[in-house]
Amino acid sequence: MTSANADNLFDAKADETIRSCLDLAAPRSFFLYAGAGSGKTRSLVQAVRDLCERQGRELKLTGQKVAIITYTNAACDEIVQRLEFDPRVDVSTIHAFAWSLIRGHDDDIRKWLDTNLLAEIADLEEKQAKGRSGKAAIERAQSIESKTRRRDGLPTIARFIYSPTGDNRTRDSLNHAEVIAMTAAFLNAKPGLRRLLIASYPILLIDESQDTARRLMDALLDVQAAFPAQFCLGLFGDTMQRIYADGKVGLAEAIPETWAKPRKAMNHRCPKRVIALINKIRSDDDKQEQQARSDAPEGTVRLFLAPETVGNKRDVEATAATKMAELTGDEAWLPDRDGVKMLALEHLMSARRFGFEHFFGSLYAYEPMRTGLLDGTGRGLGFFTRELLPLANALATGDRFATAAAIRRTSPLLDRQRLADAGDKQQAELERAKVACDGLKVLLLAENPPTLRAVLRYVAATELFVIPEVLQPFVPEVLTDAATEPEDDASTEAGAWRRALDAPFPEIEKYDRYVRGVSQFDTHQGVKGREFPRVMVVISDDEARGFLFSYGKLMGTKEKTKTDLENEAAGNDTSIARTRRLFYVTCSRAAESLAIVYYSDDPGLARTALLERGWFADDEIEIVAA
């Protein structure tokens, strides 16, 4: 047997364990630890193929299916194709799967919404009573009115609707967060829904399980505990790669002893030097280690240290890239070649470098919105990215066909029923749409770009698109006493949006490219499961703001705080743990070479600390002068 073949079979025991668990007659739940580059998707697909070969006829006769939940629509498409569109397998995102369980339970949905809206209204009214007058108070009043109107209208809705990929703005639609919360609540409270789940899907496999919303994960774990002999829950993932704040903390510890716990230890992606580094990164956490393939290249890793106060950080990063080109002999590292994937451990750092900080930073400050902001599904985001932006781009290039397509897709001006009702006045309706588009083009191409708020109000006035509920409070022109400052309510959704809408409209395109992963910069979420030949990880305690992340504490140059120690003792997440996970994810994307640029308060101290920890060799660290 060749070394390459031996590497391919290195984790055969784990794959065999998974296949043995997928047995309709004797299902056994499992948690597969699969670190970076270990090939967990291949293991998942092969195990399901094997099940369908062995027991596919039984699935067909009973009408049951295997359910697979993946992280993104792109991942869904990949698995569906690998399984050759097998009708015995349902592959979906978590939102689509959740909706498939509760769709049609309209009375239960109505009751849940009524209770939830009542609580939200009470919370807003309490803040309104304590708050000062001004814009924030006016917007809260409008939110109270909007939520009250929605609650009052619940009895008239016969059937609720939802789109996992859409923006869900009509009065009968649900938003993404509501669907997840409802599904978790219903699974906990309704035995009938539990029985329906296991009768339809005796096997449920979840990829990236560490990032599945904690309430839904808890509910599924409870279902498995209640029906261990009828329901196989298979979790694929790596707790070190948990990115989202709403993922379940301590997932590995929550797995029952009766579950199988296979492990894949081979890293098929990274060169040997990168694997040695990421093993060091996680050694202070779970001490899990990976092995490099025998045919893996040695690879190159370099750490570039620079003072936090350096004047031009882009120059530092360009210098680091140039040095990497010299070290590796790979000219694609050169700054003007666009061959390097830039990964910042803090999203605000990317937003600042890529030019969408005002919009992104305002919404990122509101913690409940972060998950939706980072995958583009948050309330109100699609209005700008999926409706306005395509129209704006079409108008800017003079593409009449693209303009017509953007309007026809969702604009009420070209709604079929509206045009039918217009009768012989349809031409006037079409002209109204043209005038609205012409006016928007003038607004967008002005010498000084308009704010998002100005564009929002123009769209509302012309009825180009339907304004989402979350943005409706910002449509009216609010006049307040200039001496009256609105209270600082960045901790509320309305306050976050109020600040974000002051951003110039061009920031939307940059934000959209960042979230979709088509810029040189990328999100941690966007790179999960992906690899790049050349990766530059940029870290900075100053730009991380020191609250959620702390590279100084991770690297050993700063002491833990009392809060850190209390959180560790209580088993809660800490800034050090969050930083370690993101550092691991970003470094483990490198398939050939890796550069880390670290802006430190004390580069000399950082160098000493990292040498003592053994993360880097002496000749792998270089201090870049200011």
Side-chain angles (χ1 to χ4, degrees):
M1 180 182 295
T2 66
S3 296
N5 287 335
D7 289 340
N8 294 336
L9 297 174
F10 186 84
D11 289 318
K13 183 177 180 181
D15 290 333
E16 181 56 39
T17 299
I18 297 169
R19 284 195 290 271
S20 67
C21 289
L22 303 190
D23 184 344
L24 298 176
R28 186 184 182 191
S29 295
F30 65 89
F31 177 80
L32 170 70
Y33 158 73
S38 60
K40 60 181 171 58
T41 301
R42 183 186 62 79
S43 294
L44 186 156
V45 169
Q46 188 55 49
V48 173
R49 279 179 179 168
D50 182 71
L51 170 69
C52 289
E53 289 176 3
R54 290 184 287 108
Q55 298 178 308
R57 177 175 172 77
E58 184 177 343
L59 285 171
K60 187 175 182 179
L61 290 175
T62 60
Q64 294 178 313
K65 294 186 177 183
V66 176
I68 300 175
I69 295 174
T70 64
Y71 204 69
T72 63
N73 289 310
C76 284
D77 293 341
E78 179 184 353
I79 292 177
V80 167
Q81 291 175 20
R82 289 199 196 185
L83 290 172
E84 299 177 341
F85 302 89
D86 194 319
R88 296 163 296 188
V89 184
D90 275 350
V91 187
S92 62
T93 62
I94 188 66
H95 290 92
F97 181 77
W99 178 238
S100 74
L101 294 180
I102 67 172
R103 181 175 52 214
H105 294 258
D106 297 295
D107 288 339
D108 293 323
I109 291 173
R110 186 178 295 105
K111 291 176 185 177
W112 187 93
L113 284 173
D114 183 72
T115 301
N116 192 61
L117 285 168
L118 190 62
E120 290 180 350
I121 292 168
D123 181 60
L124 285 169
E125 288 177 338
E126 181 181 354
K127 291 178 179 176
Q128 191 75 322
K130 296 178 180 178
R132 301 194 300 267
S133 61
K135 287 184 179 181
I138 293 172
E139 288 158 6
R140 271 198 301 269
Q142 291 167 340
S143 292
I144 291 171
E145 180 184 356
S146 176
K147 291 180 184 296
T148 301
R149 188 166 57 247
R150 185 187 183 197
R151 182 169 179 257
D152 291 342
L154 290 177
T156 66
I157 298 175
R159 182 168 294 276
F160 292 91
I161 64 172
Y162 169 73
S163 169
T165 57
D167 298 306
N168 303 296
R169 292 199 309 270
T170 57
R171 58 186 296 273
D172 56 352
S173 65
L174 306 170
N175 65 51
H176 303 297
E178 288 171 341
V179 167
I180 294 296
M182 261 187 276
T183 304
F186 291 177
L187 282 172
N188 285 326
K190 300 183 182 302
L193 186 62
R194 291 186 169 202
R195 289 193 292 268
L196 176 63
L197 169 61
I198 63 174
S200 302
Y201 303 108
I203 294 175
L204 171 59
L205 308 177
I206 304 179
D207 196 10
E208 303 290 0
S209 56
Q210 73 277 354
D211 274 321
T212 301
R214 67 173 67 89
R215 283 186 294 181
L216 188 53
M217 178 57 72
D218 285 337
L220 291 172
L221 289 170
D222 286 344
V223 172
Q224 190 282 330
F227 301 94
Q230 297 114 300
F231 182 56
C232 169
L233 182 59
L235 306 182
F236 294 73
D238 176 11
T239 53
M240 186 57 67
Q241 297 189 64
R242 180 166 65 84
I243 297 296
Y244 285 133
D246 59 355
K248 181 172 176 59
V249 177
L251 175 60
E253 291 75 19
I255 301 302
E257 287 298 322
T258 56
W259 285 33
K261 298 175 184 177
R263 177 176 178 270
K264 292 173 71 72
M266 176 68 71
N267 185 318
H268 299 274
R269 172 195 301 147
C270 301
K272 296 174 182 177
R273 180 61 191 94
V274 171
I275 293 173
L277 174 62
I278 61 177
N279 283 341
K280 287 283 188 181
I281 291 172
R282 70 185 302 166
S283 62
D284 290 335
D285 187 82
D286 59 10
K287 303 189 185 329
Q288 296 279 6
E289 289 193 356
Q290 289 184 294
Q291 179 171 318
R293 289 181 62 90
S294 57
D295 56 358
E298 185 61 33
T300 302
V301 171
R302 287 294 184 276
L303 172 67
F304 298 93
L305 290 166
E308 191 70 76
T309 56
V310 66
N312 192 326
K313 292 182 177 178
R314 285 184 177 273
D315 285 349
V316 171
E317 290 149 27
T319 297
T322 300
K323 289 183 178 293
M324 287 298 292
E326 296 171 357
L327 286 167
T328 61
D330 183 357
E331 293 188 352
W333 265 104
L334 293 172
D336 59 348
R337 299 297 174 89
D338 197 29
V340 179
K341 179 60 72 171
M342 300 279 291
L343 301 176
L345 266 69
E346 221 298 316
H347 293 287
L348 285 172
M349 191 187 302
S350 295
R352 188 171 298 116
R353 282 163 169 73
F354 200 33
F356 58 97
E357 180 185 10
H358 190 149
F359 173 74
F360 184 90
S362 301
L363 297 178
Y364 195 66
Y366 179 60
E367 185 173 357
M369 193 172 179
R370 284 178 185 160
T371 297
L373 181 66
L374 294 172
D375 63 15
T377 63
R379 295 203 304 163
L381 295 172
F383 171 76
F384 291 108
T385 60
R386 291 186 285 276
E387 291 189 327
L388 270 176
L389 188 56
L391 178 58
N393 290 337
L395 291 171
T397 58
D399 189 332
R400 292 186 299 167
F401 294 104
T403 298
I407 292 294
R408 190 180 299 114
R409 191 157 44 241
T410 56
S411 174
L413 296 180
L414 296 186
D415 178 73
R416 288 185 178 182
Q417 187 59 50
R418 179 168 179 160
L419 291 177
D421 294 342
D424 58 3
K425 297 181 180 179
Q426 286 188 9
Q427 188 58 43
E429 292 294 322
L430 295 173
E431 182 61 26
R432 183 180 176 188
K434 180 181 183 304
V435 170
C437 288
D438 290 343
L440 179 62
K441 182 176 181 178
V442 171
L443 178 65
L444 293 175
L445 298 184
E447 183 176 352
N448 295 318
T451 64
L452 297 176
R453 189 189 308 273
V455 175
L456 174 70
R457 288 174 175 163
Y458 177 85
V459 170
T462 59
E463 296 185 330
L464 259 174
F465 297 111
V466 176
I467 306 300
E469 177 190 355
V470 70
L471 298 177
Q472 287 175 4
F474 308 100
V475 171
E477 191 73 46
V478 179
L479 299 176
T480 58
D481 186 344
T484 303
E485 291 292 331
E487 62 206 82
D488 183 8
D489 60 347
S491 61
T492 68
E493 187 175 32
W497 268 113
R498 186 177 72 246
R499 289 164 173 77
L501 291 174
D502 288 332
F505 186 81
E507 288 197 14
I508 281 295
E509 182 173 15
K510 294 176 179 179
Y511 160 74
D512 182 58
R513 291 181 62 198
Y514 178 66
V515 169
R516 289 190 294 114
V518 297
S519 68
Q520 183 185 9
F521 299 90
D522 213 332
T523 67
H524 314 129
Q525 292 78 7
V527 301
K528 287 175 70 171
R530 298 166 63 195
E531 62 185 59
F532 309 94
R534 294 157 294 278
V535 171
M536 177 179 288
V537 176
V538 183
I539 57 181
S540 161
D541 266 330
D542 182 60
E543 293 193 73
R545 312 288 172 87
F547 174 61
L548 287 174
F549 309 102
S550 176
Y551 313 112
K553 293 175 186 176
L554 176 66
M555 307 297 186
T557 61
K558 293 183 179 179
E559 295 294 327
K560 295 179 182 179
T561 65
K562 180 181 178 182
T563 301
D564 294 325
L565 297 173
E566 290 174 348
N567 282 329
E568 286 181 351
N572 298 328
D573 208 8
T574 66
S575 62
I576 300 171
R578 283 189 291 267
T579 308
R580 179 184 290 110
R581 293 196 302 268
L582 297 187
F583 195 42
Y584 176 89
V585 168
T586 50
C587 289
S588 63
R589 300 308 98 189
E592 295 179 9
S593 49
L594 169 68
I596 301 161
V597 179
Y598 177 22
Y599 297 103
S600 171
D601 291 335
D602 190 335
L605 178 61
R607 177 191 178 92
T608 300
L610 288 167
L611 286 173
E612 289 177 352
R613 303 191 71 173
W615 285 20
F616 302 93
D618 184 72
D619 61 354
E620 290 180 325
I621 303 177
E622 181 174 342
I623 296 180
V624 181

